[in-house]
Structures are given as C-alpha cells and as structure tokens.
Amino acid sequence: MSSPLEVDDLSPAARSLALGASGLPELAALAPALPNAGASTSFVGDVLMALAGAMSQAAAVEASAADTVHANARSYAESDASAGQAIGKAGQAVPNPGGDR
C-alpha cells in the first residue's frame, strides 16, 4: 500500500512540468533544416510542421498542468489548515468529562 499523499509531494511534480514546458521551445532552435527528399520534400515538410505544432501544444499543456498542480497544492494546504482550525474549535467546545455538569 502506498503512503498518503502529502502537499509537499506536489511541488516536485509542478517543478518537473514547468521545467519540461520551458525546455520544449528551446528545442525548436535545434531543429534541422528541411531535407531535400526529392518529390517527397513537400510531404516531409508538412510532417515536420505538424510535429512542431504538436510539440507546441504539448508545451502549452505541460505549462498549464504545472500551473494546475501548483494551484491545487496551495488550495489543498489552505483547506487543510482551515479544517484543522475548525476541528480545534470544535474540540474546545466539547465539555470536559468529569468537569462541571
């Protein structure tokens, strides 16, 4: 059985997603020139453009996922702190057993 998820566990995931998203645009500079494939050159160019478009979408999705993980981690921490305060207040309202009745 796996251990319960801790809020801190989400930070590495968000960091990894953000780093991956920021690294993808840099790869575009490393793209090779369009090859001379004879009669297929146009087809090869279309395939490379489609691939570049897909990578661009992947970078956008990865960046969005990083933002979502970060926002959810913050929301979880806030909810957890709020629930802890509510439980603490409820515990103070319970009469002391054996005390004044």
Side-chain angles (χ1 to χ4, degrees):
M1 183 171 178
S2 63
S3 62
L5 178 68
E6 296 292 329
V7 176
D8 295 339
D9 292 344
L10 297 176
S11 294
R15 186 172 27 262
S16 176
L17 288 167
L19 288 173
S22 66
L24 285 176
E26 295 170 3
L27 292 177
L30 302 175
L34 185 62
N36 182 358
S40 300
T41 298
S42 175
F43 174 73
V44 171
D46 289 345
V47 169
L48 290 175
M49 285 177 50
L51 183 58
M55 293 302 292
S56 175
Q57 289 178 348
V61 168
E62 202 168 15
S64 176
D67 292 343
T68 301
V69 168
H70 182 70
N72 287 339
R74 184 174 50 250
S75 175
Y76 179 84
E78 291 169 0
S79 296
D80 190 49
S82 178
Q85 290 174 355
I87 290 173
K89 288 178 185 176
Q92 293 171 358
V94 175
N96 185 4
D100 297 77
R101 292 186 182 206

